[in-house]
Amino acid sequence: MIRNAHVIGMGRLGRHLADRLDALGVVTTRWNRSPQPGAHHLTNWKADDVDAVFLAVSDDALGGIADTVAPQLSDSTWLVHHAGSVPKSILGERKRNAVLWPPMTFQSTAAPDWQTMPMAVDAADASFQTWARTLAPSAFEVTDLQRQHLHLGAVLLGNLTAAWIGTVEDHLRNMGLTPELLTPLVEASVSKALEGNALDTVTGPAARNDRDTLTAQQSLLADADPDVADLHQRLTQRILTHHGHDPLPPLQAAPRRD
């Protein structure tokens, strides 16, 4: 279906996508907004008669580049973006617009496993959905709204999980402790949670409703790091509620040290 294509944007996703298209036998031309070896500069853009144009650029740049590219495309050319949270409508009113978004983080050098990578597809034409499974066999169909919520979930489970781990690591280091001591626990907990029904897998004082322990830990955090204490209480409330326990009382602000 797609025999030749342009890929605009040579960041991590764009480079890996272009490599994948090459491997599938698609004649691929690479473009970038700034000079980069092996890519044409976008100021010299020419649409040519291609089957698809893939926009692998930042969310903020998508609208402007789509406005520049779309008018030069024939009705038979697919215009595709790869942003998780940007509506397909940003590409304009063309019939052959689509979104391919992989809920995956890409490394600079290591090639992703396209055979197992999930790929969210939003396209009205069934033929494009079929082709997407050639690109990534685990491709699945979503609506605009579903994709935006999936992207939000990716942020919550990916970025914010990493941020939470980093926050706890900083707290432990401030107490003179080595965070790596908890690596086996974190790996085991995350692995078990990903098996399904994550809240059911939680152990510890909140699941057991050990109020004295929870109160003592709140006091420790309120004194050492009020921001972490607030996050601790909010997440602890979710565990308590899930297991049918009463919520904790409101967190008391730590006294000021003048």
Side-chain angles (χ1 to χ4, degrees):
M1 174 192 171
I2 295 179
R3 299 155 299 176
N4 44 50
H6 293 303
V7 177
I8 299 177
M10 286 293 107
R12 286 175 291 181
L13 170 59
R15 284 185 282 109
H16 287 304
L17 174 62
D19 289 344
R20 175 61 172 167
L21 292 172
D22 285 343
L24 292 174
V26 178
V27 178
T28 307
T29 305
R30 305 177 185 219
W31 299 83
N32 203 50
R33 288 179 292 165
S34 59
Q36 187 175 110
H40 300 279
H41 197 285
L42 195 55
T43 55
N44 301 318
W45 164 257
K46 292 182 180 179
D48 299 328
D49 185 18
V50 293
D51 295 325
V53 176
F54 299 94
L55 305 183
V57 299
S58 66
D59 292 6
D60 291 343
L62 261 177
I65 292 180
D67 288 344
T68 299
V69 169
Q72 301 183 40
L73 303 181
S74 69
D75 292 340
S76 63
T77 298
W78 284 98
L79 181 60
V80 186
H81 83 63
H82 308 280
S85 61
V86 180
K88 185 172 63 175
S89 59
I90 201 168
L91 299 175
E93 300 301 322
R94 303 175 69 259
K95 291 183 178 180
R96 289 205 159 190
N97 287 342
V99 181
L100 286 174
W101 175 63
M104 177 62 65
T105 180
F106 288 83
Q107 304 301 316
S108 296
T109 55
D113 184 355
W114 292 89
Q115 294 299 316
T116 61
M117 181 193 305
M119 181 71 71
V121 185
D122 182 4
D125 192 320
S127 65
F128 187 87
Q129 297 164 4
T130 300
W131 177 84
R133 285 188 283 274
T134 300
L135 181 75
S138 296
F140 56 96
E141 298 175 33
V142 293
T143 65
D144 245 10
L145 183 60
Q146 287 175 324
R147 175 169 44 81
Q148 290 176 53
H149 278 284
L150 187 61
H151 184 266
L152 174 60
V155 170
L156 294 173
L157 287 177
N159 300 111
L160 297 194
T161 297
W164 175 247
I165 291 173
T167 299
V168 176
E169 287 176 340
D170 287 345
H171 173 74
L172 292 174
R173 290 190 185 100
N174 289 339
M175 295 298 108
L177 294 164
T178 302
E180 288 73 18
L181 293 170
L182 297 181
T183 297
L185 170 66
V186 174
E187 290 177 342
S189 297
V190 171
S191 178
K192 191 174 182 181
L194 290 176
E195 294 176 0
N197 300 316
L199 281 172
D200 290 336
T201 71
V202 175
T203 59
R208 295 190 301 266
N209 200 28
D210 292 340
R211 311 298 286 199
D212 290 344
T213 299
L214 291 173
T215 300
Q217 290 179 339
Q218 278 191 306
S219 297
L220 279 174
L221 282 172
D223 186 57
D225 193 329
D227 289 337
V228 178
D230 181 62
L231 291 169
H232 167 267
Q233 184 178 55
R234 291 173 184 271
L235 293 173
T236 297
Q237 301 289 36
R238 298 299 299 268
I239 299 171
L240 288 168
T241 301
H242 179 77
H243 287 275
H245 306 313
D246 292 332
L248 294 171
L251 188 65
Q252 299 297 315
R256 293 182 58 184
R257 296 179 177 179
D258 296 325

